[in-house]
Amino acid sequence: MADRTLVLCKPDAVERGLVGEIVGRFERKGLRLVAIKMLTIDADLAARHYAEHTSKGFYPELAAFISRSPSIALVIEGTEAFKVVRTLMGATNPREAAPGTVRGDLAIEVTENLVHGSDSPESAEREIAIFFPELISS
Ligand code: DAT
Ligand code: MG
């Protein structure tokens, strides 16, 4: 099976009407959509997804942002999918993200950086299980 990764188009992407732009970039690159859903991420889901960040100073702002309106969650497939997605996303801080990347082209603020992508195969497996438990067999 090809590698799979979890992508979120965050609330700012939906609010700004950029979901098609962002998902289109992944599709044009040659990645394939496996699953997609719209959901509002509540406090519990935010804490599970961002478990590594809950003790950090920026977490309250991140949690408020990620829960403020619906997100689009996707499972995306392709060779080294997590790596390819992260490359197309650009650096976490959009002001440092390279032109040509989603964040580099379309965002300015670190919190409102439009998109999430798993940062390793292990993270992808964990995050896909959180957002798409129906895809997990056994
Ligand atoms: P990434 O989303 O690039 O994987 P991350 O996992 O380090 O980055 O952080 C998760 C999100 O938290 C990130 O997309 C935006 C926010 N964030 C990270 N570092 C931050 C900081 N120093 N100040 C404010 N928000 C931050
Ligand atoms: Mg991360």
Side-chain angles (χ1 to χ4, degrees):
M1 190 198 294
D3 308 313
R4 291 182 169 184
T5 195
L6 189 281
V7 170
L8 298 175
C9 295
K10 297 180 181 181
D12 53 340
V14 179
E15 292 165 4
R16 293 175 58 198
L18 292 173
V19 173
E21 164 76 30
I22 294 166
V23 176
R25 289 177 179 220
F26 297 138
E27 289 190 299
R28 291 200 300 277
K29 178 68 174 173
L31 297 164
R32 203 173 65 82
L33 305 193
V34 173
I36 183 166
K37 67 173 68 158
M38 180 176 251
L39 77 167
T40 301
I41 297 173
D42 66 15
D44 284 350
L45 184 56
R48 284 175 65 205
H49 172 62
Y50 281 128
E52 66 180 319
H53 296 311
T54 51
S55 62
K56 295 185 181 160
F58 62 78
Y59 187 72
E61 188 182 350
L62 174 61
F65 162 64
I66 206 71
S67 302
R68 81 177 179 206
S69 63
S71 295
I72 302 288
L74 306 109
V75 177
I76 289 186
E77 187 174 86
T79 304
E80 294 195 292
F82 90 88
K83 203 175 288 183
V84 175
V85 164
R86 299 276 303 182
T87 299
L88 296 184
M89 283 166 50
T92 303
N93 182 343
R95 296 190 294 281
E96 294 168 4
T101 65
V102 171
R103 289 163 168 172
D105 288 348
L106 303 171
I108 295 176
E109 302 299 334
V110 126
T111 300
E112 306 210 4
N113 64 6
L114 293 171
V115 67
H116 167 84
S118 310
D119 63 7
S120 68
E122 295 72 29
S123 296
E125 188 177 352
R126 187 185 77 83
E127 293 169 2
I128 289 169
I130 291 174
F131 284 91
F132 293 93
E134 64 275 20
L135 292 185
I136 307 303
S137 53
S138 85

